[in-house]
Amino acid sequence: MSDPTAEDACRLTAAALATAAIGARRFTTGLQHFVYEVTLADGRTTVIRMTRPAERAVARNALRLSRQLRPLGVPLPEVLAADVEAEMPWMLLTRLPGVDLWEVVGSLPDASLRAIAGGVAAAQTIAGSTPSAGRYGFAPSPEAAPFASWAEVMVADLDRSRQRIAASGLFDLREVERLDGIRMKLARDFDALPATPFLHDTTTKNVIVSDAGTLSGIVDVDDLCFGDPRFVAALITVALRANGLREDYATYLMAAAGWTDDHVFRFYVAAFLLDFMSEHGQRFNGNERPSSPEARNRLLGLYRQALADL
């Protein structure tokens, strides 16, 4: 079966809403799904998220988590229609007004960034109040979390980077081993962390900001992570740093959530820089950014600085 297209987006949306769809534009962020903004004949817009059949379980989980978290107050888009059992699983969602945070983070005033950070921190608090089974890692439910400790999650994270870097040959594997040595020294710190549920994908990509500079909502919650919620703040820090954007938002989120910047948090920053390095030379769903020597050298420099900060 071929990958979902704009024509599929229009066809499915028109059938679900019984309204003609006149065009679809693909969102160029995200490495797993095929997400389109669909314009209807009456001028409305909506969003359809289509998934490859092999990832049907992900679509099922996204629908279930939306039904769990949205009533609790997590600002997710309303599900207008869905068929996650179709040959091509899909969900039709309301179009949250605005753009991904990364598009405007450099131009928003501090007051707006602080307010957005506060809203995201509140959503994390809600997620953190949902059940945990004392297991760790990325999963759609507490019982399905794959690891017995947070330290194991860190091992798996570095192993993924190691495998990707080995496959592409674009970076020296000794860079991975340097961080792995630090990981082993921090094993007890990782083991002391509780399995707190958090929204790991609330980064600069999935936080939607309105034209007025306010939080419209959060998109693409396919699963949760169980462990240290600061992990997502480290990813945000790296996403901003790697793209040369101001890091204030990450600082405001840490403050709003009451999270601490310590040696464990700085390890996460280095690990995510390594993860960004490992994505070079990989193919995902067509949204991956092209690799260049300049981009790779810049990431390597940031990574080595992060190691020095540990």
Side-chain angles (χ1 to χ4, degrees):
M1 182 178 183
S2 59
D3 287 340
T5 65
E7 290 73 22
D8 293 322
C10 289
R11 173 178 55 81
L12 291 169
T13 300
L17 298 182
T19 304
I22 61 174
R25 174 183 66 88
R26 187 178 178 191
F27 291 101
T28 57
T29 55
L31 298 176
Q32 185 172 30
H33 306 293
F34 297 80
V35 185
Y36 287 83
E37 178 186 67
V38 180
T39 301
L40 304 174
D42 60 11
R44 289 180 298 154
T45 58
T46 188
V47 170
I48 188 165
R49 197 183 82 155
M50 299 172 288
T51 304
R52 292 174 175 134
E55 295 166 345
R56 184 181 311 280
V58 178
R60 289 174 179 150
N61 294 333
L63 183 59
R64 184 184 59 79
L65 281 170
S66 176
R67 291 170 174 168
Q68 175 190 355
L69 296 174
R70 194 168 182 271
L72 296 178
V74 176
L76 303 176
E78 179 185 357
V79 178
L80 302 175
D83 189 350
V84 295
E85 305 305 327
E87 183 180 7
M88 180 192 301
W90 57 272
M91 291 172 58
L92 190 64
L93 310 166
T94 54
R95 171 65 160 102
L96 296 178
V99 296
D100 283 315
L101 174 61
W102 72 268
E103 295 190 41
V104 294
V105 69
S107 61
L108 290 174
D110 279 356
S112 292
L113 288 177
R114 290 181 187 275
I116 294 165
V120 173
Q124 293 288 9
T125 297
I126 294 170
S129 70
T130 62
S132 171
R135 295 191 59 81
Y136 296 79
F138 302 90
S141 64
E143 299 77 13
F147 297 107
S149 71
W150 187 238
E152 292 177 74
V153 179
M154 298 300 99
V155 171
D157 187 74
L158 288 186
D159 280 347
R160 183 181 68 173
S161 294
R162 181 183 288 108
Q163 290 167 15
R164 287 177 175 174
I165 288 172
S168 69
L170 294 175
F171 293 97
D172 192 327
L173 278 172
R174 286 177 292 184
E175 299 296 345
V176 183
E177 305 316 319
R178 293 175 67 191
L179 188 58
D180 204 22
I182 297 171
R183 175 199 60 78
M184 289 186 279
K185 295 177 181 178
L186 295 175
R188 289 186 179 179
D189 297 274
F190 297 140
D191 284 337
L193 294 165
T196 302
F198 65 93
L199 302 163
H200 66 89
D201 235 3
T202 52
T203 66
T204 57
K205 291 182 180 178
N206 296 321
V207 173
I208 308 301
V209 178
S210 73
D211 289 344
T214 59
L215 176 65
S216 284
I218 294 166
V219 297
D220 285 355
V221 177
D222 294 337
D223 56 10
L224 299 175
C225 190
F226 298 84
D228 187 349
R230 294 179 299 168
F231 204 52
V232 70
L235 175 53
I236 293 167
T237 298
V238 169
L240 295 171
R241 187 174 300 174
N243 288 285
L245 299 170
R246 55 190 289 199
E247 297 178 28
D248 309 61
Y249 172 73
T251 302
Y252 299 152
L253 177 61
M254 293 279 285
W259 296 336
T260 303
D261 179 351
D262 59 11
H263 56 290
V264 171
F265 177 76
R266 290 190 290 276
F267 172 88
Y268 300 154
V269 170
F272 276 118
L273 282 164
L274 188 68
D275 187 56
F276 275 39
M277 290 160 59
S278 78
E279 290 183 356
H280 281 256
Q282 308 299 316
R283 188 179 187 280
F284 299 100
N285 67 350
N287 272 348
E288 58 271 9
R289 289 177 294 183
S291 178
S292 69
E294 294 77 15
R296 295 195 296 269
N297 287 336
R298 184 171 186 278
L299 272 177
L300 182 58
L302 292 173
Y303 173 69
R304 288 177 173 170
Q305 182 58 55
L307 288 179
D309 292 340
L310 277 168

